[in-house]
Amino acid sequence: MADNSLNIILNGNIVKGHPGETILTLANRHGIEIPTLCNDDRLEPFTSCYVCVVEVEGMRGHQPSCSTKLTEGMKIITDNEGIRKSRKMALELMLSNHYADCIGPCKQTCPAGVDVQGYISLIDKGQYSEAVALIKETNPLPAICGRVCVRPCETECRRNLLDEGAPVGIDYLKRFASDFDLASPDKYVPVVKPSTGKRVAVIGAGPGGLSVGHFMQIEGHQVDIYEAAPKPGGWLRYGIPEYRLPNDILDQEVKNITDLGVNIFYNKKLGENISYQELKSTYDATVLTIGSQKGTGVGCEGDDAGNVFSGIDFLKNMEVTGQRYDFRGKTIAVVGGGNTAMDCCRTSIRCKADKVYVIYRRTEKEMPANPIEIHESKLEGVEYLFLTLPKKINKNDLGEVASVTCIKMELGEPDASGRRRPVPVEGSDFEIKVDFILAAIGQKTDVNFIDDINAHTGSGELKVNKWGDIDVDKSTLQTGIPSMFAAGDGVSGPATIIEAIAQARIASTSAHQFLMGLPLQPGKKPFTSKRDNFKKQQKEAYLGGFDTQVREEMPTLPADARFNFNEVELGYAGADVAHHEAQRCLECGCVAFFDCDLQKYSNEYNALQNSFEGEFREYQVDFRHPYIEIDNNKCILCARCVRICHEVVGANALGLINRGFHTYVAPSMGEALQDTPCESCGMCISTCPTGAITENVLFKPGPVRTETVDTICNYCSVGCSISLRHKNGFVMGVKGKPGLINSDGNICKYPKFGYQYLNDLNRITKPMLKVDGKFEEISFPAAFRLIHEKIKSVKPDENAFFGGARLSNEELYLIHKLARAAAKTNNVGSFHYLGRGEGYRANGEMNAPLAEIVHASAIYMLGTEINRDHAVVGFMVQNARYLKKIPVSALPA
């Protein structure tokens, strides 16, 4: 046989090509990935995206590899700087009109990047431990954060645009799932990698140190935490009162981390009873997570008076001593407007104070404290003096505070923080009699061990910056000592718990790279398309588009029952409440995030969304079809959906409307998709390279990463191969898988969209035996024994075997063999064909192999459902050019 192969030089290597083969196919055969967004192997190549361009010697400009056919001696380059530049430009042109969010604003805003939309999706399905597992990928303290996080995610939640008065209760849902998991005998436990033999010392067991312990221990390093206090938690224990964060919840979260193998040594203070010289000789790396726990004064004349305390010392002393202050008959003034001020004022109420003031120099609107904390403090009786500044603390004869002179303020121009600067109002002084003043206006970092470290370091130097915080590389959090890293408030100054956790993850990543001898590289943020890159989101675009659903508020103790340190927020009462609140999520992030080729290649080529700014198109998402939703905001006009519907399915249900920049995909004749010849096969979904055409599901789709189970469709006996995408048994989608019957991977609507029964909790998954008129569950071995006994208890011909019509041919064959070979009976049938005689069996024996259909002069299909016989129809459509008597247009729709 003559060798018709072509000699091709591919990236400098001589390879063999086939006549009629494209450059893209050749590259794929040789393991070279060329990005493409418009190519589908089920369709004839038709260039539209120009992301797949390559260089071909002798040809002008870059050539689309998907449609350029090979010729003898062709020299091809698939990757160089010029090619990457062209591909990036092609991607950026598409992104300039991609008015869509890859991820929701909640995840974008979270300092730790917690996948909020993903874990809400899992809570929606009752998969609480799975939700905790997802949270712990980036935040190992979910039960704590579910109580005391400042919730920047909720501030950006787009449910705020619906005039319902509240965002999704993200923290409430996190707490619900986390509390469930903590109480579960099968709670989530992360997998710890095999030991690396490396040891890490962490200084401080606050949120940052505990998080470092979690992240580094599961990487296989042995982590030992040294804590100066007698108990773990840092500010979580010594700065947040128990009515907000009970110690037993904190202890359970800490135990989850120590159960991984992390050790915590208490009453160990670096530079005092433990030296860096000792740590250096024992450990391969050190991470400083010391917090910022040094209080500041009021900052006015007389703040050295007795009974004037820093807020953090006030809170810490009670936890350390176990003694509550007795403020009966006393008036307390708390100076400041942050969360520490809220903890101080609400704690003072619980210490039986007669009156508690909060003095704040701006308005309530500018207060950085959590609005919920402000609201709850008012319910408890705290009084606020806004636009007020302490000017002088007046002392009595004993040198203790007697009163505080204040001055009224007014707001001027914005300062560096963006808040309007308070300006004193001349002549507005007034005096308040108080017994105690708690200053909650700031904290400082105390790096009192710096000399001990620098005296024993072999190379480098630990430094502090001009604010007194630990000086680090901002991207890796490595200090001036190569083996030392730092995270949390000790680096940033006073911040939030979630920010400390976020920094802990960065420091852990860098320390891990250092220990493994890898270059220190900060984690690359994936490309994300954002609607906010085009315009600020306004409520007008959302009102009327969603059903009104008011938030499930957090149950709390009555205000008159709070004069103690019992937890005020009680948690959601049950799964129904959590499920209802999860339903409020608007699913802003794209459900195709983990499968989107546009996002994948934009990330790979460092594409920017705003390189070509200008006009963009905005569309309403079409949810009218029961199984398919169309979002033209995400469409890149590759036309794969239109073409597969026409060329493979033959339905012609989709088309391209208008021309040029105004082109979009829509059902034919502008009707609803279900009113067209659409067969609901879902092939348009299978070919879409973005999230423009997706499945319209009845549950929160996430997106979440799923597992795959390959199986056979059980809707008929054809035997198409399919893949079930599931999360812990909850099936979230079905894809066709190339198999013996459906070699192209195409499937019909039944397996594609008919999988919901698999998620029915009432579905029978184990044998049931009727006992006294009621069905009881039994084991499979017991069922098999019973069947065996029943078959053997009668004559062979007194047994009959019936197979279901939805079983595969192979399964039906096994039933046939079981009946005839094992039970010795010829009584074999199917409920599906009862009373239909022998006609179908004779027809079946006369069938021709599917591959021989091309030789038929005419084809007649009687008494069948063509939608279900997609393997046959697809074959017919693709080979219609050989069937001269059956043009494609004549095939049934």
Side-chain angles (χ1 to χ4, degrees):
M1 180 179 291
D3 183 6
N4 294 324
S5 62
L6 305 173
N7 295 301
I8 307 296
I9 300 177
L10 180 63
N11 293 337
N13 300 312
I14 299 176
V15 298
K16 295 290 185 180
H18 306 308
E21 189 175 27
T22 66
I23 295 175
L24 180 63
T25 305
L26 174 74
N28 288 340
R29 278 201 298 110
H30 287 84
I32 299 172
E33 182 182 5
I34 296 176
T36 178
L37 294 172
C38 63
N39 188 72
D40 185 320
D41 291 339
R42 295 170 291 182
L43 303 170
E44 285 294 317
F46 182 82
T47 303
S48 65
C49 73
Y50 286 92
V51 175
C52 67
V53 294
V54 296
E55 280 186 7
V56 179
E57 187 176 280
M59 299 183 74
R60 184 179 178 183
H62 293 144
Q63 305 301 312
S65 63
C66 66
S67 59
T68 303
K69 302 291 182 68
L70 301 177
T71 59
E72 176 63 30
M74 182 178 275
K75 295 182 179 179
I76 305 163
I77 299 294
T78 64
D79 193 9
N80 61 29
E81 186 176 348
I83 292 171
R84 295 184 72 84
K85 186 176 181 180
S86 292
R87 291 173 180 171
K88 181 181 180 183
M89 180 179 292
L91 289 165
E92 289 178 339
L93 285 168
M94 285 182 275
L95 293 172
S96 69
N97 191 34
H98 195 73
Y99 181 63
D101 288 300
C102 285
I103 59 177
C106 47
K107 182 178 179 180
Q108 293 176 27
T109 307
C110 177
V114 175
D115 187 355
V116 176
Q117 187 172 329
Y119 78 70
I120 286 179
S121 165
L122 295 172
I123 291 172
D124 168 66
K125 300 166 186 60
Q127 297 190 347
Y128 308 124
S129 292
E130 290 77 7
V132 169
L134 181 57
I135 296 168
K136 286 193 174 184
E137 289 182 9
T138 51
N139 175 5
L141 305 173
I144 292 171
C145 286
R147 288 166 164 80
V148 297
C149 186
V150 295
R151 314 174 191 188
C153 51
E154 293 189 13
T155 301
E156 296 301 315
C157 176
R158 293 205 182 123
R159 196 91 203 182
N160 287 315
L161 300 176
L162 296 184
D163 284 348
E164 293 176 353
V168 174
I170 295 172
D171 247 29
Y172 299 163
L173 290 168
K174 185 195 292 114
R175 170 181 169 161
F176 178 82
S178 301
D179 286 357
F180 179 93
D181 184 66
L182 284 176
S184 171
D186 300 316
K187 67 181 178 182
Y188 167 71
V189 178
V191 176
V192 177
K193 296 179 181 178
S195 174
T196 62
K198 304 292 185 180
R199 303 189 68 190
V200 182
V202 177
I203 308 302
L210 293 170
S211 299
V212 170
H214 170 93
F215 291 128
M216 298 213 71
Q217 192 74 31
I218 63 177
E219 287 294 337
H221 311 303
Q222 177 54 53
V223 179
D224 293 341
I225 302 176
Y226 291 87
E227 169 57 47
K231 292 182 179 180
W235 190 245
L236 300 175
R237 184 183 299 274
Y238 297 107
I240 300 178
E242 279 205 84
Y243 66 83
R244 283 216 294 144
L245 177 58
N247 283 340
D248 67 314
I249 295 295
L250 171 58
D251 291 338
Q252 289 182 70
E253 292 269 61
V254 172
K255 186 176 185 300
N256 282 344
I257 293 171
T258 56
D259 283 349
L260 299 176
V262 175
N263 297 313
I264 305 179
F265 302 102
Y266 300 108
N267 300 306
K268 293 292 186 179
K269 196 166 185 180
L270 183 59
E272 292 187 11
N273 58 1
I274 184 169
S275 169
Y276 180 62
Q277 184 177 20
E278 180 183 347
L279 297 180
K280 182 185 172 187
S281 64
T282 308
Y283 297 95
D284 302 288
T286 304
V287 184
L288 305 176
T289 55
I290 61 172
S292 188
Q293 297 190 28
K294 187 176 181 180
T296 60
V298 178
C300 69
E301 181 183 350
D303 72 353
D304 60 346
N307 292 341
V308 176
F309 304 107
S310 75
I312 61 173
D313 289 338
F314 164 71
L315 296 169
K316 184 176 182 178
N317 287 341
M318 282 195 295
E319 183 61 35
V320 170
T321 63
Q323 301 296 316
R324 311 297 188 195
Y325 285 88
D326 185 354
F327 284 162
R328 276 177 284 200
K330 307 297 183 182
T331 298
I332 315 298
V334 178
V335 182
N339 287 315
T340 299
M342 296 301 97
D343 289 335
C344 288
C345 71
R346 296 182 69 190
T347 296
S348 297
I349 290 287
R350 285 160 175 78
C351 291
K352 310 298 191 293
D354 277 11
K355 186 177 287 294
V356 178
Y357 295 107
V358 169
I359 300 173
Y360 183 58
R361 60 181 183 153
R362 291 184 168 93
T363 69
E364 181 174 348
K365 181 180 179 182
E366 283 80 31
M367 285 185 72
N370 189 325
I372 293 176
E373 291 293 306
I374 301 171
H375 171 74
E376 296 297 330
S377 70
K378 290 179 179 179
L379 291 180
E380 294 167 6
V382 174
E383 297 182 33
Y384 282 81
L385 300 175
F386 294 114
L387 290 171
T388 302
L389 180 70
K391 187 176 179 181
K392 180 183 177 182
I393 295 174
N394 306 303
K395 305 175 184 177
N396 60 21
D397 294 340
L398 299 175
E400 298 171 339
V401 59
S403 65
V404 56
T405 301
C406 299
I407 186 171
K408 284 292 185 181
M409 311 291 283
E410 61 183 6
L411 296 180
E413 296 299 316
D415 61 15
S417 70
R419 295 178 296 175
R420 294 175 64 188
R421 185 188 305 275
V423 179
V425 177
E426 293 297 328
S428 63
D429 296 22
F430 65 99
E431 186 176 351
I432 306 173
K433 290 186 176 182
V434 296
D435 299 290
F436 288 84
I437 295 178
L438 306 178
I441 59 174
Q443 297 160 228
K444 294 181 179 179
T445 303
D446 187 8
V447 194
N448 55 9
F449 49 76
I450 190 168
D451 291 337
D452 174 69
I453 288 180
N454 287 331
H456 298 106
T457 180
S459 62
E461 180 184 3
L462 181 66
K463 298 179 180 179
V464 295
N465 58 28
K466 62 182 180 180
W467 296 282
D469 301 317
I470 299 172
D471 191 38
V472 295
D473 180 290
K474 287 183 171 56
S475 60
T476 64
L477 298 184
Q478 185 182 41
T479 69
I481 301 171
S483 63
M484 184 176 289
F485 304 83
D489 289 1
V491 171
S492 63
T496 63
I497 295 168
I498 194 65
E499 287 174 293
I501 292 170
Q503 281 204 346
R505 188 163 174 241
I506 296 171
S508 298
T509 299
S510 298
H512 170 71
Q513 292 169 343
F514 172 81
L515 293 173
M516 304 309 291
L518 302 171
L520 267 59
Q521 295 179 337
K524 179 184 176 183
K525 288 188 176 181
F527 168 84
T528 51
S529 171
K530 300 178 184 178
R531 285 191 167 199
D532 285 330
N533 286 342
F534 295 89
K535 69 175 185 178
K536 181 178 175 60
Q537 299 303 291
Q538 304 287 350
K539 63 173 59 179
E540 290 74 20
Y542 293 84
L543 290 173
F546 302 89
D547 291 339
T548 299
Q549 187 176 340
V550 187
R551 178 155 82 166
E552 296 281 354
E553 290 298 346
M554 173 63 70
T556 59
L557 287 175
D560 59 2
R562 297 184 189 180
F563 296 103
N564 50 58
F565 285 81
N566 296 335
E567 187 171 16
V568 170
E569 294 186 345
L570 305 177
Y572 280 159
D576 289 344
V577 179
H579 174 77
H580 189 259
E581 184 61 25
Q583 289 290 307
R584 297 182 70 235
C585 174
L586 300 184
E587 302 167 32
C588 303
C590 182
V591 298
F593 181 75
F594 296 118
D595 304 305
C596 177
D597 290 333
L598 177 62
Q599 192 276 338
K600 170 186 173 182
Y601 294 131
S602 296
N603 192 53
E604 180 180 343
Y605 286 87
N606 298 314
L608 302 175
Q609 189 159 34
N610 55 2
S611 290
F612 299 97
E613 294 182 324
E615 185 181 357
F616 68 95
R617 305 293 296 172
E618 182 177 356
Y619 300 92
Q620 292 294 320
V621 182
D622 187 348
F623 295 104
R624 291 176 292 176
H625 194 281
Y627 305 131
I628 300 168
E629 62 182 62
I630 303 174
D631 186 353
N632 272 286
N633 297 296
K634 302 173 183 177
C635 181
I636 59 171
L637 297 176
C638 64
R640 282 164 60 170
C641 56
V642 176
R643 295 183 61 212
I644 205 165
C645 189
H646 170 68
E647 298 173 23
V648 177
V649 182
N652 295 314
L654 294 170
L656 293 173
I657 310 298
N658 297 331
R659 293 177 178 271
F661 183 70
H662 300 282
T663 305
Y664 64 96
V665 172
S668 57
M669 305 302 293
E671 300 175 347
L673 188 57
Q674 64 268 31
D675 296 330
T676 70
C678 171
E679 297 181 6
S680 300
C681 63
M683 283 201 195
C684 52
I685 297 174
S686 72
T687 194
C688 182
T690 68
I693 300 186
T694 56
E695 185 176 349
N696 190 1
V697 295
L698 300 175
F699 51 83
K700 294 292 180 188
V704 294
R705 296 189 185 276
T706 56
E707 302 170 60
T708 299
V709 172
D710 295 333
T711 185
I712 301 297
C713 170
N714 70 337
Y715 267 96
C716 69
S717 299
V718 171
C720 292
S721 296
I722 60 174
S723 293
L724 304 178
R725 297 188 302 107
H726 74 96
K727 185 70 173 181
N728 197 33
F730 188 98
V731 179
M732 302 181 72
V734 175
K735 290 184 177 181
K737 182 179 184 296
L740 292 174
I741 303 300
N742 55 329
S743 58
D744 52 10
N746 291 341
I747 55 176
C748 70
K749 68 180 179 181
Y750 291 96
K752 180 66 180 176
F753 303 117
Y755 60 85
Q756 296 300 334
Y757 72 94
L758 294 172
N759 298 326
D760 189 339
L761 297 178
N762 296 317
R763 184 167 66 96
I764 297 175
T765 58
K766 291 186 178 180
M768 305 289 287
L769 177 66
K770 183 173 283 189
V771 179
D772 296 331
K774 294 182 179 181
F775 280 107
E776 296 181 0
E777 187 178 288
I778 62 173
S779 68
F780 278 100
F784 295 149
R785 284 195 300 271
L786 184 61
I787 293 170
H788 176 262
E789 292 169 2
K790 293 291 185 181
I791 291 175
K792 299 292 287 185
S793 66
V794 297
K795 296 178 181 179
D797 282 345
E798 292 178 356
N799 290 306
F801 289 76
F802 289 87
R806 287 170 61 165
L807 298 178
S808 68
N809 289 325
E810 291 78 8
E811 290 167 324
L812 291 171
Y813 176 74
L814 290 175
I815 292 174
H816 157 82
K817 294 296 289 183
L818 176 64
R820 296 191 175 183
K824 308 299 183 183
T825 179
N826 291 322
N827 298 329
V828 184
S830 168
F831 290 111
H832 193 65
Y833 297 117
L834 284 176
R836 297 193 187 186
E838 293 289 311
Y840 284 135
R841 185 169 69 84
N843 289 344
E845 292 174 350
M846 298 176 66
N847 279 345
L850 184 62
E852 294 185 8
I853 198 170
V854 296
H855 303 301
S857 59
I859 298 173
Y860 301 92
M861 301 186 74
L862 305 173
T864 185
E865 174 147 9
I866 296 176
N867 279 337
R868 186 173 290 180
D869 294 334
H870 231 298
V872 177
V873 176
F875 186 92
M876 291 167 58
V877 173
Q878 289 183 327
N879 294 279
R881 58 183 179 277
Y882 301 118
L883 309 176
K884 303 187 187 313
K885 296 191 178 182
I886 308 182
V888 173
S889 60
L891 289 172

